[in-house]
Amino acid sequence: MIIGRVIDELVSTQKGEYFHGQKLLLVQPLDLNETDMDEAVLAIDGADAGIGDRVLLVQDGFAAMHVLGQFQVPVDAAVIGVIDQIDFFDRQN
Amino acid sequence: MKLARVVGTVVSTVKDENMQGKKILLVRALDASGQVTGEPFVALDSVGAGVGEDVFYARGKEGSFPWHPQPVPSDASIVGILDPFNFPTRESHTGTEGTQK
């Protein structure tokens, strides 16, 4: 999993039927000082996350399919948790 | 899934038989604000996307799942078309660049 922030919720009327009823969240991966990192990812919402939330993002089809409850469907990313707090103890100091 | 814009089409008649009857599109990655970035690459279409449309696609082994259980050898397949107003700052794009023969 990686840490990301939900930056948008995208609307798609014409899509695979396995997406029906799913919220599509645009998630920007973040590094630990919350600066943007890598490309934004479109993920199905498995945690009722909203725009601005920091979230746990999984980028594997099998994991995303668990969220959907359907298998062999072309879904490869899902938000699986809303992050409340991150404590990071840097071992170097 | 990742965001992309359809920027062209590819025609291939001699190909893996499981690719028959499927539209092959040329796409470029979109960043979060709807601007195209990176080099064009090829994706298979499973939802009827056309040039100029913003889409999202599944990568890797999930690329063959739109046609499951048919073993389609695709690692990138378009699975949805974004409605036009998702990126408010984006000017309407007609995708009329030249075609390479």
Side-chain angles (χ1 to χ4, degrees):
Chain A
M1 277 77 72
I2 60 171
I3 296 165
R5 182 184 307 287
V6 178
I7 56 174
D8 209 345
E9 187 184 325
L10 297 186
V11 177
S12 166
T13 315
Q14 200 173 332
K15 58 196 175 197
E17 76 287 348
Y18 29 84
F19 284 115
H20 285 160
Q22 293 297 324
K23 210 160 76 173
L24 295 171
L25 299 176
L26 191 59
V27 179
Q28 172 60 58
L30 299 176
D31 61 21
L32 279 181
N33 22 37
E34 297 202 13
T35 47
D36 291 2
M37 176 178 87
D38 302 333
E39 275 178 7
V41 174
L42 193 65
I44 58 171
D45 181 14
D48 243 350
I51 294 177
D53 284 350
R54 272 185 320 178
V55 291
L56 282 176
L57 174 70
V58 68
Q59 288 185 285
D60 166 68
F62 200 59
M65 290 173 210
H66 281 304
V67 171
L68 210 53
Q70 274 182 60
F71 289 93
Q72 275 86 35
V73 289
V75 177
D76 62 9
V79 166
I80 54 169
V82 178
I83 295 174
D84 299 317
Q85 183 170 330
I86 299 172
D87 295 318
F88 175 52
F89 303 99
D90 193 337
R91 288 196 63 77
Q92 273 79 31
N93 51 29
Chain B
M1 289 66 67
K2 286 290 181 87
L3 304 181
R5 174 170 304 152
V6 181
V7 295
T9 57
V10 174
V11 175
S12 164
T13 42
V14 179
K15 57 194 172 188
D16 181 287
E17 81 269 6
N18 287 301
M19 299 270 285
Q20 295 300 346
K22 297 184 178 52
K23 206 160 60 172
I24 306 172
L25 295 177
L26 209 57
V27 298
R28 285 183 70 188
L30 277 188
D31 66 20
S33 64
Q35 301 311 314
V36 284
T37 64
E39 290 308 310
F41 60 95
V42 176
L44 229 50
D45 174 41
S46 78
V47 283
V51 174
E53 289 189 305
D54 289 349
V55 296
F56 50 99
Y57 64 94
R59 297 175 307 170
K61 66 176 181 318
E62 283 74 35
S64 67
F65 286 163
W67 300 276
H68 186 77
Q70 183 187 0
V72 177
S74 165
D75 67 352
S77 297
I78 294 167
V79 290
I81 300 171
L82 292 176
D83 287 13
F85 50 79
N86 278 294
F87 295 113
T89 53
R90 173 176 170 250
E91 83 302 343
S92 73
H93 178 80
T94 50
T96 50
E97 280 80 4
T99 54
Q100 287 98 27
K101 272 283 171 278

